[in-house]
Amino acid sequence: MESLLQVAPLFNGLSADDLAPISAASRLVSLKPNTLLFRASDPALHFFLVTKGSMRLYRLTPEGKEKVIEIISAGQTFAEAVALVNKPYPVYASALEPTELIAIPSQVLRDQVLINHGLAFKMLASLSLRIHGFLNDIHTLSLATAQQKVAGYLLAFLEQSDHEQIIRLPATKAMIASRLGLQPETFSRVLSKMKEQGVIQEDKNQILILSSSALKQLRDTA
């Protein structure tokens, strides 16, 4: 369990003694695709580390439609903020594919943060990165056109992946479109136009960025 926990930036670098109480209290969870892990307003008894697969976090509109908030990939944690402040989950969480997680009791996190300054600083760093990601999302969603939104989304991926030119889409196009506030056919149409312009190449769920400068121009041009 400790080796699995160390995959997460939140726990990486902590000693075996630091991880022991967290590991001892945690449990493994396996989910089939589309299995609901928790609902919005459920008490946040655990936060989670994805070790395999991926999760989608979403809200429901008044009409009952899903609005994807975030897609969580292997190696990432989620729900740690509400676990830390003892608040209910603000979103629904469901598996996108066969997924394995580590469920870590919220109380253990709160106890360890009080006595372990190293974990407390890592917690702050993790939440700061999450806030930075949400700010990027807000910026992308505030852009006027579908082209700008898709270009901004791809550029944010480049930033997160240390400017690696190959992007592996973390979910279906329909779910990514939902996250961007677009219709799936609009998202696909924008990608097709970018391919025609020689900005990207696409192979199944991977996108090769041929020109980041052209992508920036598409983002900044209404």
Side-chain angles (χ1 to χ4, degrees):
M1 182 77 79
E2 291 176 10
S3 61
L4 292 175
L5 288 170
Q6 287 180 325
V7 170
L10 184 61
F11 300 122
N12 185 263
L14 295 183
S15 69
D17 288 343
D18 289 335
L19 284 174
I22 299 172
S23 177
S26 301
R27 61 184 175 89
L28 295 173
V29 178
S30 295
L31 300 176
K32 295 179 180 180
N34 299 315
T35 301
L36 189 66
L37 179 63
F38 57 74
R39 292 178 169 82
S41 78
D42 283 350
L45 302 180
H46 298 83
F47 76 104
F48 302 89
L49 164 63
V50 178
T51 59
K52 180 181 177 182
S54 57
M55 300 287 297
R56 77 181 188 279
L57 308 183
Y58 62 95
R59 302 288 295 268
L60 293 178
T61 67
E63 296 77 26
K65 295 182 179 180
E66 291 184 10
K67 174 66 179 74
V68 177
I69 304 299
E70 194 171 7
I71 297 165
I72 308 294
S73 303
Q76 295 181 304
T77 54
F78 64 98
E80 62 269 48
V82 289
L84 188 63
V85 296
N86 197 21
K87 296 289 186 180
Y89 297 119
V91 296
Y92 294 78
S94 180
L96 284 171
E97 56 188 318
T99 300
E100 296 178 0
L101 314 97
I102 298 176
I104 305 158
S106 302
Q107 187 61 54
V108 170
L109 176 67
R110 292 193 291 270
D111 292 344
Q112 293 304 307
V113 163
L114 289 174
I115 63 177
N116 188 324
H117 292 169
L119 178 59
F121 279 115
K122 284 180 175 289
M123 189 78 189
L124 286 172
S126 176
L127 295 179
S128 295
L129 288 173
R130 186 66 57 81
I131 291 170
H132 180 70
F134 281 132
L135 289 174
N136 278 337
D137 287 346
I138 291 169
H139 175 68
T140 297
L141 291 171
S142 68
L143 296 172
T145 68
Q147 172 185 278
Q148 288 179 311
K149 290 181 179 181
V150 176
Y153 177 78
L154 296 178
L155 286 168
F157 249 98
L158 284 182
E159 179 182 331
Q160 294 167 11
S161 60
D162 294 326
H163 300 279
E164 290 288 337
Q165 298 303 106
I166 297 178
I167 294 171
R168 181 184 180 275
L169 295 180
T172 66
K173 289 180 180 178
M175 289 183 186
I176 294 171
S178 172
R179 186 179 177 190
L180 296 176
L182 301 173
Q183 294 297 319
E185 57 270 22
T186 303
F187 181 71
S188 295
R189 187 165 56 247
V190 171
L191 289 180
S192 295
K193 187 174 181 181
M194 288 179 176
K195 286 188 287 186
E196 293 172 3
Q197 294 170 321
V199 178
I200 66 171
Q201 288 181 352
E202 186 180 8
D203 180 20
K204 296 182 180 179
N205 67 335
Q206 288 190 337
I207 292 177
L208 172 64
I209 307 300
L210 299 176
S211 173
S212 57
S213 60
L215 199 59
K216 289 177 182 176
Q217 185 174 5
L218 291 176
R219 180 196 61 188
D220 298 336
T221 302

